[in-house]
Amino acid sequence: MSRTRCIALIAHDQKKDDMAEFARRNQAKLMSWRIVATGTTGGRIKDAVPELDVTRLKSGPLGGDQQIGALISTGEVDMLVFFVDPLTPMPHDVDVKALMRLATVYDIPMALNLATADILMQTLTA
């Protein structure tokens, strides 16, 4: 029996509007995915697209990034969309780098911006 594919969604503060727009535009495709998101990002996605079933984890700086990292390392996450704001300093920058490292180590598709996320959604949900 195959499991539902899982997508992890994270967005830095200045990119949360982009993530909400990404979810709105890809609502039909995202309906077939299990969605996990860090706390605030998950809340913004639910506000934008209430029909999506989003599992909200802790806020990124409070451990949400590590929770998603653990899901990646156990093979539960199939794709990571992490809208990074390179112009704003992040106090939890080490956590962010660790998460991107895990996505690379476990060879899962990872998008760090809207353009790449849209391409992945077209490719992986076709």
Side-chain angles (χ1 to χ4, degrees):
M1 185 163 126
S2 66
R3 68 172 177 83
T4 302
R5 292 183 296 178
C6 180
I7 184 170
L9 303 177
I10 308 170
H12 284 154
D13 288 345
Q14 301 303 316
K15 300 294 181 175
K16 291 193 190 316
D17 288 342
D18 289 346
M19 183 60 77
E21 178 57 28
F22 168 78
R24 260 193 298 278
R25 276 202 329 267
N26 290 286
Q27 175 182 351
K29 293 175 182 177
L30 288 171
M31 295 292 285
S32 66
W33 288 73
R34 174 179 167 227
I35 301 169
V36 294
T38 49
T40 309
T41 300
R44 292 288 296 276
I45 293 166
K46 285 296 290 179
D47 289 345
V49 190
E51 299 81 11
L52 290 178
D53 182 19
V54 179
T55 300
R56 292 177 61 191
L57 305 174
K58 293 181 185 257
S59 172
L62 299 178
D65 295 335
Q66 286 93 344
Q67 287 178 300
I68 289 178
L71 293 172
I72 291 171
S73 69
T74 58
E76 295 176 61
V77 170
D78 301 291
M79 183 165 98
L80 171 64
V81 176
F82 191 165
F83 290 165
V84 176
D85 179 7
L87 303 177
T88 302
M90 297 293 139
H92 63 292
D93 189 53
V94 174
D95 302 332
V96 173
K97 289 178 182 172
L99 187 55
M100 291 190 298
R101 179 184 168 279
L102 284 169
T104 303
V105 167
Y106 288 93
D107 198 27
I108 65 166
M110 172 177 55
L112 300 177
N113 61 37
L114 190 54
T116 307
D118 283 338
I119 290 168
L120 283 179
M121 287 306 293
Q122 291 170 12
T123 304
L124 296 175
T125 58

